């Protein structure tokens, strides 16, 4: 935990929270939603596997990859700082080899 990724538009602060091993993959939710500058994204991984979390606009265009690495089993969360991203609706997609889930979030400036 405690890794900070600096990117052109987004800052992702990764904080890992491990309390037991989850039974399934889950994109637990992004809050607050709608959000202004930061949003907390939580997810669970049942076994060590590669996880990708990406942000898409409503036209389906990939805006940014937030996570794309192997995670050990557990519950994870991070804060997405939207930087200079424009207001609008975004889709957050979590994907692994056997799982895919999408959640809609709204960025308000």
């Amino acid at each position: 935990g405690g890794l900070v990724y600096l990117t052109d538009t987004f800052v992702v602060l990764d904080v890992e929270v491990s309390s037991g091993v989850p039974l399934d993959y889950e994109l637990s939710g992004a809050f607050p939603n709608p959000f202004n500058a930061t949003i907390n994204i939580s997810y669970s991984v049942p076994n060590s596997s590669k996880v990708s979390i990406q942000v898409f606009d409503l036209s389906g265009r990939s805006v940014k990859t937030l996570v794309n690495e192997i995670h050990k089993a557990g519950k994870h969360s991070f804060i997405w700082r939207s930087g200079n991203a424009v207001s609008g609706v975004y889709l957050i997609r979590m994907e692994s080899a056997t799982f895919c889930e999408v959640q809609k979030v709204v960025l308000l400036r």
Side-chain angles (χ1 to χ4, degrees):
L3 299 175
V4 176
Y5 303 92
L6 298 174
T7 62
D8 52 7
T9 305
F10 306 100
V11 175
V12 179
L13 174 63
D14 180 57
V15 179
E16 182 179 325
V17 180
S18 295
S19 59
V21 177
L23 297 176
D24 293 310
Y25 288 94
E26 180 182 18
L27 183 57
S28 305
F31 64 89
N33 189 15
F35 71 106
N36 182 331
T38 63
I39 189 167
N40 187 344
I41 300 169
S42 300
Y43 58 101
S44 299
V45 178
N47 49 48
S48 181
S49 58
K50 185 171 183 181
V51 174
S52 171
I53 298 178
Q54 292 181 289
V55 178
F56 293 87
D57 64 17
L58 284 182
S59 68
R61 184 183 55 195
S62 178
V63 173
K64 188 52 98 181
T65 299
L66 301 175
V67 172
N68 189 23
E69 58 193 26
I70 295 175
H71 283 292
K72 56 188 172 178
K75 296 179 181 179
H76 305 270
S77 67
F78 63 88
I79 297 169
W80 168 29
R81 293 193 182 123
S82 60
N84 60 359
V86 298
S87 294
V89 177
Y90 292 91
L91 302 173
I92 297 176
R93 178 176 147 190
M94 176 183 169
E95 185 175 10
S96 73
T98 60
F99 174 84
C100 183
E101 185 174 340
V102 176
Q103 289 189 357
K104 181 171 68 170
V105 296
V106 179
L107 172 60
L108 298 176
R109 293 281 179 200

